[in-house]
Structures are given as structure tokens and as C-alpha cells.
Amino acid sequence: MTDPRVMANIAREIDTVLGADKSKISNEILMHELPYTKAVFHETMRLNPPLPKNVRQAVADDVLPDGTRVYAGELIGYSNWSMGRNKSVWGLDAEFFVLERWLPESQFKFISINAGPRLCLGTTFAMLEVLETTCLLL
């Protein structure tokens, strides 16, 4: 973490929610009472996705939102790294670390690990691990 303001805000949020008693950490607290810390997680993953590029295969004929036809069996490649920096999606400050884009949280903004029915099964576990480790270290 290179931004002391962000680090101080995370520490303040954790202290407000947990105080000095780290034994109060629970999945419910981690997932529902630390919005700022979760926003740090999401923004970090947007700019540094664990899987910077990906390929999917169409299982049936389909049409993409821009009108492009995709036929069963075709491969579609995309770059989460590039999508996370796309100014038409994220605004002119797309290359910068801006937590406010995640407040309030939206599952469908966070595509680096997919969304909806194709959401990575390990997403919640990974987020819980990161949040708990952050709480314990700060």
C-alpha cells in the first residue's frame, strides 16, 4: 500500500468496527461492515487482475451487446487488464486508484473474476482471506 491516506482510513474503519478485540472477526462482519476495506480490495483487483487475459468458447450461437455475432464453438479472447483501464467504462481517471467507484458495491462492476452465474467460486473465500488478514495486520 503506497497511499498513507488509504491505509489510515482502512485502519480507522477496522478500529471502528472491531476495536481492539480481533476475536470479534466473523464472516458477517468482514462481508457487511467493512465497505471501505472491500472497496480497496475491488479497486486493487481492477487495476491488477489475477488473470489479466482470458478466453471463452461459445456453446451456442449468440449476439454480443455491440451486435457482433458469435457462433457456437468460436473462441472469444478478452483482457481484464485492459478492461480495468478502459476510459469509456471507468472514466478519464481509469488508470488511477479511486475507491469511490466501489461505493456502493456492485458485483457486476467487478469482472476480473467474472460475475453473475459465472462468478468464480473462490471469490468470497479470497475476499474473506484478504479482509481477515488485513484486520489482523492492522
Side-chain angles (χ1 to χ4, degrees), residues 88-102:
S88 68
V89 174
W90 300 103
L92 296 177
D93 61 353
E95 295 183 28
F96 299 101
F97 193 85
V98 179
L99 298 173
E100 290 72 23
R101 13 179 153 257
W102 301 102

Side-chain angles (χ1 to χ4, degrees), residues 53-62 64 68-79:
K53 56 186 175 180
N54 208 341
V55 176
R56 294 284 187 240
Q57 184 173 20
V59 295
D61 293 353
D62 204 351
L64 299 179
T68 304
R69 290 194 155 289
V70 179
Y71 300 98
E74 286 186 333
L75 297 176
I76 301 169
Y78 61 95
S79 170

Side-chain angles (χ1 to χ4, degrees), residues 9-78:
N9 288 341
I10 292 172
R12 189 174 314 120
E13 180 178 68
I14 292 169
D15 286 343
T16 300
V17 172
L18 296 174
D21 185 7
K22 303 296 185 191
S23 67
K24 292 186 343 187
I25 294 174
S26 68
N27 291 351
E28 290 76 23
I29 286 174
L30 294 173
M31 293 304 287
H32 303 292
E33 296 183 34
L34 299 172
Y36 188 87
T37 307
K38 282 176 70 176
V40 170
F41 171 81
H42 288 307
E43 185 68 350
T44 300
M45 296 294 277
R46 179 184 73 84
L47 291 171
N48 305 286
L51 190 62
K53 56 186 175 180
N54 208 341
V55 176
R56 294 284 187 240
Q57 184 173 20
V59 295
D61 293 353
D62 204 351
V63 179
L64 299 179
D66 71 349
T68 304
R69 290 194 155 289
V70 179
Y71 300 98
E74 286 186 333
L75 297 176
I76 301 169
Y78 61 95

